[in-house]
Amino acid sequence: MTAEQIDGKAFALTLREKVGTIAAEFERKAGRKAGLAVVLVGDDPASQVYVRSKGKATLAANMASFEHRLPDDVSGGALLALVEQLNQDPAVDGILVQLPLPAQLDEQQVISAISPDKDVDGFHVINAGRLAVGQDGFVPCTPLGCMMLLTSRLGDLSGLEAVVIGRSNIVGKPMAQLLLDANATVTIAHSRTKDLPAVVRRADVVVAAVGRAEMVKADWLKPGATVIDVGINRVPSNEAGKTRLVGDVDFAGASDVAGAITPVPGGVGPMTIAVLLRNTLVAAHRNAGIDLAKDAV
Ligand code: NAD
């Protein structure tokens, strides 16, 4: 079997275009653009790249982008004061504080300071709670993007066996909640799971969010399974001194067994920013009291 590749790049592009169209309508209705504020502390090169591409994507989707850069040694008080200023700013619908933060800052305290109604990353405990009890809130972008890819491929997930590998607050746990909401039978596997290959072999749907290069092997998969690979791992390439990105799944081997699989890069990765824009659009409509159909984006 040669698995179908799930093209996250193309899906994300379509989503971004849809968001851009609705954001232009929002501007006409609200008399202002939807706005996303991104806070970057310090000069971590990877974070700088993420923040730059988020800013560009926000502008391209007809939204306003507000970038705030703070020095590496900023105090907790100064960062919290900025978050509070953004909470109060009516031009800002979504607030994202780029993680990781330098060691002197308490990430949980900073996330808790963001208004839950502007927490477009979905990391605030209020939004984690809303997801757990099935209320409207904000769902973390990466698992929501995975869910969109899954439903586009499989439609109804009712009764399917789903195994999520990894239990982080930003990927594994919310992913499991979303699959449960979609009526899948969900198992969360993690570093202490016994006989992981046997657990994964039960799954119609596998979501790998571990951070270990090519850990999930072809013979762990049930033939025809749908595989979503969240992992982003940099490994040495064949060319001396160069690196390349691989996922948590052995893509070449798995492609012979799976029914469908996301590549790395070009699978889940591009979905994250697209969903961030989507969440910001939803926040803008809620904040402005303008209706947005549930299935609009
Ligand atoms: P994390 O380090 O917070 O969590 C990893 C999880 O994997 C843990 O819950 C741990 O229990 C589990 N684990 C570790 N070793 C294991 C093993 N041997 N067997 C089974 N489970 C094991 O990571 P995270 O933030 O959830 O990210 C996971 C991966 O997804 C990383 O590669 C990260 O770069 C990637 N990621 C990608 C995106 C994206 O936009 N595509 C977004 C977030 C994270």
Side-chain angles (χ1 to χ4, degrees):
M1 181 185 292
T2 301
E4 179 198 326
Q5 274 200 39
I6 303 174
D7 189 346
K9 207 171 157 187
F11 194 103
L13 196 66
T14 306
L15 177 58
R16 282 167 61 164
E17 284 169 1
K18 213 187 283 180
V19 169
T21 304
I22 301 174
E25 286 165 18
F26 174 85
E27 186 180 358
R28 277 195 296 278
K29 290 179 191 161
R32 66 171 182 88
K33 284 183 187 290
L36 173 64
V38 178
V39 179
L40 173 62
V41 182
D43 45 19
D44 175 64
S47 294
Q48 282 183 336
V49 172
Y50 291 142
V51 165
R52 208 174 309 132
S53 51
K54 283 168 188 168
K56 272 195 197 159
T58 306
L59 296 176
N62 300 318
M63 297 184 189
S65 166
F66 308 99
E67 253 177 61
H68 294 268
R69 288 169 187 261
L70 298 174
D72 203 35
D73 59 356
V74 70
S75 68
L79 177 55
L80 292 174
L82 172 60
V83 168
E84 189 46 36
Q85 180 198 315
L86 298 173
N87 282 341
Q88 300 300 334
D89 186 343
V92 172
D93 295 295
I95 302 169
L96 180 154
V97 177
Q98 184 66 46
L99 302 179
L101 291 173
Q104 82 275 13
L105 299 169
D106 178 344
E107 284 186 358
Q108 274 315 317
Q109 187 188 26
V110 174
I111 291 167
S112 299
I114 297 172
S115 161
D117 297 328
K118 295 191 176 187
D119 168 42
V120 285
D121 251 344
F123 293 168
H124 195 291
V125 287
I126 296 272
N127 283 315
R130 286 171 175 161
L131 177 61
V133 299
Q135 288 177 6
D136 281 343
F138 292 106
V139 177
C141 302
T142 301
L144 185 53
C146 293
M147 202 59 197
M148 289 178 180
L149 295 179
L150 277 171
T151 45
S152 79
R153 148 109 189 140
L154 295 170
D156 185 10
L157 305 187
S158 275
L160 294 182
E161 287 276 349
V163 172
V164 178
I165 319 174
R167 56 175 161 184
S168 72
N169 288 335
I170 63 169
V171 189
K173 281 186 210 161
M175 187 72 234
Q177 297 277 5
L178 289 169
L179 288 162
L180 195 58
D181 279 351
N183 301 312
T185 301
V186 184
T187 302
I188 306 179
H190 47 78
S191 53
R192 308 283 177 91
T193 295
K194 288 188 182 137
D195 200 356
L196 184 58
V199 173
V200 175
R201 230 170 262 131
R202 295 205 302 258
D204 304 301
V205 170
V206 180
V207 180
V210 183
R212 287 181 178 243
E214 301 178 323
M215 183 185 83
V216 177
K217 304 298 180 200
D219 65 358
W220 296 22
L221 298 174
K222 179 177 178 175
T226 301
V227 181
I228 303 291
D229 190 350
V230 184
I232 301 177
N233 309 289
R234 199 164 275 288
V235 297
S237 85
N238 291 336
E239 274 180 80
K242 295 243 168 110
T243 58
R244 65 191 174 98
L245 290 183
V246 298
D248 290 342
V249 179
D250 168 16
F251 182 81
S255 294
D256 289 339
V257 183
I261 184 167
T262 56
V264 177
V268 173
M271 291 300 291
T272 300
I273 287 186
V275 176
L276 174 68
L277 301 175
R278 180 257 175 215
N279 281 357
T280 304
L281 187 71
V282 171
H285 282 78
R286 287 183 191 155
N287 294 340
I290 296 174
D291 280 344
L292 178 67
K294 235 184 154 59
D295 56 358
V297 270

